[in-house]
């Protein structure tokens, strides 16, 4: 089975860390290689590390409720970088504060360039399915 090189990151404002530890261990358990950039990662640093590491997948975790707003800035910067224009990009966690229209916000992030937006209520299944389908495609 093809395994993925994953860059795992938080958004710039997000200082929560156990989400990142959890996801790092989980993705490793699924057989992937993970570079965990940690909390509060400035977008420019994320782009620089991704250009160096050339990951198969970038996973953004947000739990402080600012994922919808910071995700937009992130995706514009990542998609604006030629080397990362097609790199699969996922965001998930507690993306909002509960005040926004979550479905509309998720659709906006998808339209802006995220390949998958996983809301808290949907758990980790969508991420697993997405990664498994990436592995299957790579084997063909
Ligand atoms: C510990 C904690 C803190 C600690 C963090 C310490 C540390 N080193 O991590 C401190 C005190 C610093 C903190 C600060 C804040 N926190 Co806080 N914190 C928590 C708390 C109690 C536990 C979080 C935790 O560690 N969970 C364990 C990990 C393993 O689970 P998780 O984070 O939920 O991640 C899971 C999912 O979200 C999901 N997931 C996460 N990312 C991704 C990505 C993808 C792609 C996918 C598929 C899934 C996924 O998978 C993970 C595993 O199941 C939660 C409340 C709670 N009980 O959840 C609040 C909570 C996350 N915090 C919250 C808030 C608002 C804040 C502050 C803004 C508070 C403030 N006013 O200052 C600040 C923000 C600081 C910042 N700059 O980010 C809110 C977020 C609300 C929201 N998003 O709707 C929560 C939910 C509390 C609440 N009920 O209001 N916090």
């Amino acid at each position: 089975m093809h395994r993925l090189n994953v860059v795992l990151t938080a958004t710039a404002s997000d200082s929560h860390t156990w989400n990142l530890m959890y996801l790092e261990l989980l993705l490793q358990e699924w057989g992937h290689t993970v570079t965990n950039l940690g909390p509060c990662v400035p977008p420019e640093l994320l782009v620089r590390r991704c250009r160096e590491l050339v990951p198969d997948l970038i996973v953004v975790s947000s739990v402080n409720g600012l994922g919808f707003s910071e995700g937009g800035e992130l995706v514009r910067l990542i998609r604006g970088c030629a080397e990362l224009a097609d790199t699969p990009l996922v965001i998930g966690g507690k993306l909002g504060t509960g005040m926004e229209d979550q479905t509309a916000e998720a659709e906006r992030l998808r339209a802006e360039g995220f390949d998958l937006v996983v809301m808290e209520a949907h758990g980790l299944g969508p991420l697993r399915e997405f990664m498994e389908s990436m592995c299957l495609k790579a084997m063909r």
Side-chain angles (χ1 to χ4, degrees):
M1 186 73 154
H2 182 82
R3 297 302 174 193
L4 305 174
N5 282 318
V6 182
V7 162
L8 173 64
T9 186
T11 57
S13 76
D14 205 320
S15 68
H16 294 88
T17 49
W18 291 108
N19 48 315
L20 297 169
M21 289 307 302
Y22 183 102
L23 289 169
E24 178 182 346
L25 293 172
L26 183 73
L27 298 194
Q28 284 172 347
E29 199 174 291
W30 291 350
H32 306 291
T33 303
V34 181
T35 304
N36 180 350
L37 300 185
C40 293
V41 179
E44 297 75 17
L45 176 65
L46 171 62
V47 167
R48 192 166 79 234
R49 293 295 285 135
C50 288
R51 289 177 72 187
E52 287 162 6
L53 293 164
V54 196
D56 300 309
L57 171 68
I58 304 169
V59 176
V60 182
S61 171
S62 160
V63 295
N64 69 359
L66 296 178
F68 285 131
S69 48
E70 289 183 292
E73 186 196 345
L74 252 189
V75 71
R76 281 188 287 279
L77 212 61
I78 289 171
R79 294 303 184 223
C81 171
E83 296 103 306
L84 304 175
D86 298 320
T87 307
L89 180 60
V90 173
I91 189 167
K94 302 178 202 344
L95 296 170
T97 58
M99 304 299 286
E100 53 288 273
D101 178 341
Q102 303 243 340
T103 308
E105 286 296 293
E107 272 169 21
R108 177 182 57 79
L109 287 183
R110 290 256 308 146
E112 286 181 339
F114 276 97
D115 297 283
L116 179 69
V117 179
V118 189
M119 255 105 67
E120 182 77 350
H122 296 154
L124 294 155
L127 177 63
R128 182 163 202 167
E129 281 163 28
F130 183 83
M131 293 179 78
E132 281 175 0
S133 90
M134 278 185 71
C135 293
L136 285 174
K137 269 190 214 146
M139 281 175 17
R140 283 197 200 119

